[in-house]
Structure formats: C-alpha cells, structure tokens
Amino acid sequence: MTERTAVHDIPAAGADRPDRAVVRDALGVGIAVGLSGFAFGVTSAGSGLTLLQTCALSLLVFTGASQFALVGALAAGGNPLTAAAGAFFLGARNAFYGLRLSQLLQVPRAVRPFAAQWVIDETSAVALAQPTRRHARVGFVVTGISLYLLWNLTTLLGALGAEAIGDTDAWGLDAAGPAVFLALLAPMLKTGVERAVAALAVLLGLGLLPVLPAGAPVLLAAVAAPAVLFVQGRRMPGADRDRTGGDR
C-alpha cells in the first residue's frame, strides 16, 4: 500500500447518505415548485391562450420562467416572434446546466434526449448538491418526475379554473405568474454580483417597458449580466493594486 491515496479513493462527505433522504429532499422540491404550475395555467388562460396551447407549453417547454415570459409578452400585445425570442433567451441557461450534468450523471446516450427535458433550475440544483453520482442520479430523476407530473397537472387545473372564473384580471390572478417567479428567484441571489445583475435587469425591463414593444424589454434586460461583469472586471485590477500596496 502506498502512502499517497488517489483523490477518487477518498469518500466524499455525506457519501453514506441514505437514498431515502435524497428522495425526500427531491420530492420536497418537486412538490413545492410543481404546485406553482397552477399559477401558470391561470396566467396563460387569462392571457388568451387556449387550454390545448397552455398544456402544450408545459408539456413541451417545461421551464417556468420562459413560459411566464412568453404568455406575459403575448398578453401585453407583443409580437409572437419577440415573445418567443425572450422566452428562448431565458431558457438558454439550461444548456449550461446540461454541460455540467452530462459529466456528473453520465446517463446512457439513448436516454439523454429524454433527460434533457428535465434539465431545469430545480433538477440541476438537487443533483449538483449530492455527494456522489448515485445520489445525483436519484435526486435528478425523482425531482424531474415529481415536478414534471405535478407541474403539468396543476397547469391543467389552473387553465380550467381560469376558464371557469372568467376575467382573471378582476381577481388579480394576472399577477400570480410574476409573483411566483420572483419568489423562486429571490433565494438564488446570494452574491453581490447576482443581486446587481438582477437589479439592473429589473431597471432595464421596467424602464424600457413604456417605450418598446412588449417582449423587447426582456431581450434588452439580458445585457445586465455582461454589463455588471464588465464593470466588475474593470474594478478588479485596481483592487489588486490596493491589496499589494500600489504599483511598487
């Protein structure tokens, strides 16, 4: 036996965690977020989409932020292409999740197209939080199944409910979608950079709303991230000089 031990031979912290604990956490996330599909169903139906269109969005798109952005832009009278573009850019982040999860989960090639449908914020967060590949796979699958089924069920119920009550604006249900999205987003903003990006995006979106067509402010708000990162990059060299005592 050598004195040096390979890194992969060292048990990860929490590697002995039972599968039922992972399942419990994954179900908690899936149920909590899946129930908000009701808000999307109400918002979509209240925006003028049919029951079939609303359910198709949840079945095929299955990324809440993009769905809310799409129906919100359409409800405001935006061009369908602009609304779709805004939803696309919001959903593009899932591609980056997929790059990381493909290395972590290493699912069989034949299963990857189906697994890709579940690559969203919640499944990625649960999988990446696990100490081992086995736990990551369990967390990803349980979160994906529970969230997908419940999200689509509550979307159907929300759309049917919206048709039953008539004018959703009169009940204030048109605000349900944005409220749910903000509630999901807020806990994710943990660093100063993330908060700065969110604040600038809000300012751009709200500030441009009166002067641009519906859906366009969402697209332009996407420049918030590169703008904040550019400013931070410009500040870092000066901060480094300060810590090292200037240019001596």
Side-chain angles (χ1 to χ4, degrees), residues 12-96:
D16 57 347
R17 189 183 189 204
D19 287 350
R20 64 176 178 274
V22 181
V23 172
R24 180 194 61 216
D25 293 345
L27 282 176
V29 172
I31 292 173
V33 179
L35 291 174
S36 62
F38 184 85
F40 171 72
V42 170
T43 304
S44 180
S47 300
L49 272 70
T50 67
L51 177 65
L52 180 60
Q53 290 171 332
T54 297
C55 292
L57 278 174
S58 283
L59 284 167
L60 302 177
V61 178
F62 187 54
T63 172
S66 296
Q67 292 177 229
F68 280 124
L70 177 63
V71 299
L74 292 176
N79 183 285
L81 293 178
T82 304
F88 172 80
F89 280 110
L90 279 176
R93 69 192 186 282
N94 293 337
F96 297 98

Side-chain angles (χ1 to χ4, degrees), residues 25 29 34 41 56 58 62 72 76 84 88 108 120-121 135 138 147 178 180 184 199 210 215 217:
D25 293 345
V29 172
S58 283
F62 187 54
F88 172 80
I120 54 175
D121 295 330
H135 289 147
V138 172
L147 181 49
V180 171
L184 294 174

Side-chain angles (χ1 to χ4, degrees), residues 64-188:
S66 296
Q67 292 177 229
F68 280 124
L70 177 63
V71 299
L74 292 176
N79 183 285
L81 293 178
T82 304
F88 172 80
F89 280 110
L90 279 176
R93 69 192 186 282
N94 293 337
F96 297 98
Y97 295 154
L99 293 175
R100 178 67 183 92
L101 289 176
S102 65
Q103 299 174 353
L104 174 63
L105 301 178
Q106 294 186 0
V107 298
R109 190 178 299 273
V111 181
R112 290 176 188 175
F114 303 98
Q117 178 71 353
W118 292 347
V119 177
I120 54 175
D121 295 330
E122 293 76 18
T123 54
S124 301
V126 172
L128 293 173
Q130 305 307 320
T132 67
R133 176 171 289 118
R134 172 183 169 80
H135 289 147
R137 286 175 172 174
V138 172
F140 178 84
V141 170
V142 174
T143 305
I145 291 176
S146 59
L147 181 49
Y148 188 77
L149 292 178
L150 192 54
W151 178 269
N152 281 281
L153 174 61
T154 54
T155 292
L156 173 62
L157 295 177
L160 291 174
E163 291 183 352
I165 64 177
D167 185 10
T168 56
D169 291 347
W171 295 79
L173 295 177
D174 55 317
V180 171
F181 178 62
L182 290 175
L184 294 174
L185 177 64
M188 301 179 185

